[in-house]
Amino acid sequence: MTFRKITEEPSPYCELEKKPVRQILEEINAEDRKVALAVRKAIPQIEKLVEKIVRRMQSGGRLFYLGAGTSGRLGVLDASEIPPTYGMPPSCVVGLIAGGDTALRSPVENAEDDEMQGWKDLESCGIHAHDVVVGIAASGTTPYVVGALHRARARGILTACITSNPDSPMAAEADIPIEMIVGPEYVTGSSRMKSGTGQKMILNMISTSVMIKLGRVEGNKMVNMQLTNRKLIERGTRIIADELKIDDEKARSLLLIHGSVRDAVEACRNTGR
């Protein structure tokens, strides 16, 4: 099949610099409206991936996100939010970016072009057969990601990818390719825009649904969140007060004693107080 790099095709909008700000904003918004529809078309593949991730994590496996530039940053962002939101150890969902932590703020020259480094980074984390590796690259051609997926798959590790181009080299290395085709970007080639938005949406869908199926959500509440700041303590207090039909002062006291919403509610129910 022919590989068509849609992410590099010319924007349908011209002479952007001559347009008033309002028009620019409305045109960007019009393009952004296409993203959710593109993500919706990819739901069957996302569903397949989530179900396999859940089974592997229940057997001690981990989820790795791997990317470069914007794609890598989005993977690291999603992974970093799992411990505070769901109370999972940081080793359960790991985000790796070409160039390491330095690349989170500043580009690291040629880091994404090293086709061996992605696998080396996975090896440094002790990658094993129960793990899942999700490559993220709008282009579908990033050597850092493609090389890692190739080596992971050859060793029997489940591989998946999120890309904005159909039939890409990265998809060829993925057991479950998620192709989210959002079309050319408003600024030609600027895949941090629609492609980045779509990647963020899909990552939210993957990690949220995995955590729900792993029992980290009760009803619709984050009952395992870490109490790392005042906002989260207040949220936990409200959840306990609503669940147990008690006042906020008692709910807060229970939360701080037991350290989590789940433990506080269970302790109170078990003692009948």
Side-chain angles (χ1 to χ4, degrees):
M1 299 180 75
T2 303
F3 173 47
R4 177 186 171 197
K5 205 178 237 189
I6 296 172
T7 53
E8 294 297 327
E9 290 182 356
S11 169
Y13 303 88
C14 299
E15 298 185 323
L16 305 184
E17 72 280 7
K18 297 180 181 179
K19 297 182 178 184
V21 170
R22 182 61 174 264
Q23 184 177 355
I24 292 171
L25 297 177
E26 288 180 345
E27 289 176 351
I28 292 173
N29 181 247
E31 288 299 302
D32 285 344
R33 288 199 292 272
K34 300 175 182 179
V35 178
L37 295 175
V39 171
R40 182 177 178 81
K41 291 179 181 177
I43 284 178
Q45 292 300 94
I46 301 171
E47 177 188 24
K48 183 187 296 187
L49 175 59
V50 167
E51 290 175 344
K52 290 182 179 295
I53 292 171
V54 170
R55 288 197 290 272
R56 280 163 174 74
M57 292 189 80
Q58 288 171 333
S59 301
R62 298 163 294 170
L63 171 59
F64 287 90
Y65 296 136
L66 200 74
T70 296
S71 299
R73 294 181 189 104
L74 289 170
V76 171
L77 172 62
D78 194 75
S80 69
E81 291 177 343
I82 300 306
T85 305
Y86 299 108
M88 296 287 277
S91 59
C92 286
V93 181
V94 179
L96 298 174
I97 181 171
D101 288 352
T102 299
L104 292 173
R105 292 184 178 274
S106 304
V108 176
E109 188 174 358
N110 298 324
E112 69 175 65
D113 296 328
D114 188 338
E115 66 175 21
M116 290 296 297
Q117 190 59 49
W119 176 247
K120 290 178 183 176
D121 289 346
L122 289 169
E123 281 191 311
S124 71
C125 295
I127 187 83
H128 59 71
H130 289 296
D131 294 332
V132 181
V133 180
V134 179
I136 313 168
S139 68
T141 61
T142 306
Y144 174 84
V145 180
V146 176
L149 291 184
H150 176 77
R151 289 164 180 81
R153 195 180 191 190
R155 291 159 176 80
I157 298 165
L158 180 69
T159 60
C161 73
I162 304 170
T163 180
S164 297
N165 287 318
D167 308 314
S168 68
M170 184 174 70
E173 301 295 349
D175 297 303
I176 305 176
I178 298 171
E179 295 176 328
M180 178 243 341
I181 313 303
V182 293
E185 297 287 0
Y186 184 71
V187 174
T188 299
S190 182
S191 57
R192 72 181 186 89
M193 300 185 75
K194 286 188 298 183
S195 290
T197 299
Q199 289 170 355
K200 179 68 167 64
M201 292 172 69
I202 291 172
L203 291 171
N204 281 346
M205 293 166 76
I206 292 170
S207 58
T208 301
S209 53
V210 165
M211 290 299 120
I212 290 171
K213 299 311 288 185
L214 290 176
R216 309 307 291 182
V217 172
E218 197 169 287
N220 58 13
K221 307 294 195 305
M222 296 186 292
V223 295
N224 292 286
M225 62 186 175
Q226 294 178 350
L227 307 179
T228 53
N229 56 50
R230 183 184 300 171
K231 177 188 70 177
L232 295 179
I233 292 173
E234 290 175 352
R235 182 183 299 159
T237 297
R238 289 195 303 273
I239 294 172
I240 294 170
D242 290 344
E243 186 69 24
L244 299 177
K245 305 298 187 269
I246 59 178
D247 61 56
D248 286 355
E249 185 177 347
K250 185 174 182 180
R252 180 184 175 88
S253 177
L254 285 170
L255 179 62
L256 296 179
I257 289 169
H258 295 285
S260 78
V261 172
R262 185 187 294 277
D263 289 347
V265 170
E266 288 181 355
C268 193
R269 285 174 174 166
N270 290 338
T271 59
R273 293 183 291 171

